[in-house]
Amino acid sequence: MTAQAFRLVNRYSGLTLALSADPHRRAETTPARSWTDSSGGPVGGARRAAEQTLSLIPAGSAEGQHPAAH
């Protein structure tokens, strides 16, 4: 199955949820971006565009997943 990519955007502020696999980085909301911040400045925090993208993979068909539901 193919993963689909999504961004979680706050509809009021327009900020996008940014997550990292690095345990020392916090989850945060940042402006949506399609580039990697390499400025070295405190704004942007060297976030990559990929840190704002969630990949969702279907777990399987609904059929046969919950035997008690039949």
Side-chain angles (χ1 to χ4, degrees):
M1 293 186 188
T2 304
Q4 295 184 21
F6 297 91
R7 290 184 182 194
L8 296 179
V9 179
N10 182 308
R11 68 173 155 177
Y12 300 108
S13 68
L15 298 175
T16 303
L17 180 65
L19 303 170
S20 174
D22 183 341
H24 298 103
R25 292 189 94 153
R26 295 180 177 167
E28 61 187 1
T29 53
T30 61
R33 65 176 54 163
S34 58
W35 70 95
T36 296
D37 173 49
S38 58
S39 68
V43 177
R47 287 276 184 202
R48 298 182 339 253
E51 292 177 355
Q52 293 185 335
T53 305
L54 299 174
S55 295
L56 304 178
I57 302 170
S61 66
E63 185 177 334
Q65 294 295 317
H66 302 285
H70 293 294

